[in-house]
Amino acid sequence: FSRVASRAMSTAAAGKKVSVLGAAGGIGQPLSLLLKEHALVSDLSLFDIVNTPGVAADLGHINTGAKVTGHVGTDSLGAALTGSDVVVIPAGVPRKPGMTRDDLFNTNASIVQSLGEAVAKHCPEAQILVIANPVNSTVPII
């Protein structure tokens, strides 16, 4: 790309609100850290059913231009999603010893479905990335 074309592409994508649903989990925390450091993210909205304010406070200390907000509990899901350009869903439970793929799907499918419905209601134009396992079965739910 020429310098002008690459500059136009970077400014066109600047200032995105990204929501991470499942931000307090084992994948959500490091993912949120990487997103906080990304120059194109201006607003990072973290949601989970527990511990999100602590994760948001920790990430808020990183000196970048992205504003971080933490939302905990299903009552705050709408506020976490409103205005989002990108929604990443690492929410769900990890596979435990003795757990079959069907068991994992039965647990995580309902989580992904309810989050997908909230995305459709609060930010229907957002791009959605589902990384809840089993991925090949949870993506079609959205």
Side-chain angles (χ1 to χ4, degrees), residues 1 14 17 19 25 30 37 39 43 56 64 66 69 71 76 91 94 102 122 127:
F1 290 110
K17 178 177 180 180
S19 292
E37 294 179 333
D43 188 357
T64 70
T69 55
H71 307 271
S76 65
D102 288 342
H122 297 285
Q127 300 295 312

Side-chain angles (χ1 to χ4, degrees), residues 92-128:
V93 299
R95 191 169 179 177
K96 296 174 178 66
M99 188 180 235
T100 67
R101 280 180 51 84
D102 288 342
D103 295 336
L104 184 63
F105 174 76
N106 290 334
T107 301
N108 287 347
S110 61
I111 295 169
V112 171
Q113 180 183 13
S114 64
L115 294 174
E117 290 171 352
V119 170
K121 179 178 180 183
H122 297 285
C123 54
E125 299 298 317
Q127 300 295 312
I128 305 169

Side-chain angles (χ1 to χ4, degrees), residues 10-125:
S10 66
T11 56
K16 299 296 181 187
K17 178 177 180 180
V18 178
S19 292
V20 179
L21 310 183
I27 300 299
Q29 286 185 37
L31 173 66
S32 297
L33 170 64
L34 293 172
L35 289 168
K36 169 68 168 140
E37 294 179 333
H38 199 288
L40 299 180
V41 176
S42 62
D43 188 357
L44 183 59
S45 179
L46 308 179
F47 170 82
D48 213 319
I49 55 172
V50 294
N51 301 328
T52 319
V55 175
D58 290 345
L59 293 180
H61 294 294
I62 299 170
N63 189 19
T64 70
K67 178 185 118 189
V68 181
T69 55
H71 307 271
V72 65
T74 55
D75 291 341
S76 65
L77 182 54
L81 289 170
T82 300
S84 293
D85 299 296
V86 177
V87 177
V88 187
I89 305 177
V93 299
R95 191 169 179 177
K96 296 174 178 66
M99 188 180 235
T100 67
R101 280 180 51 84
D102 288 342
D103 295 336
L104 184 63
F105 174 76
N106 290 334
T107 301
N108 287 347
S110 61
I111 295 169
V112 171
Q113 180 183 13
S114 64
L115 294 174
E117 290 171 352
V119 170
K121 179 178 180 183
H122 297 285
C123 54
E125 299 298 317

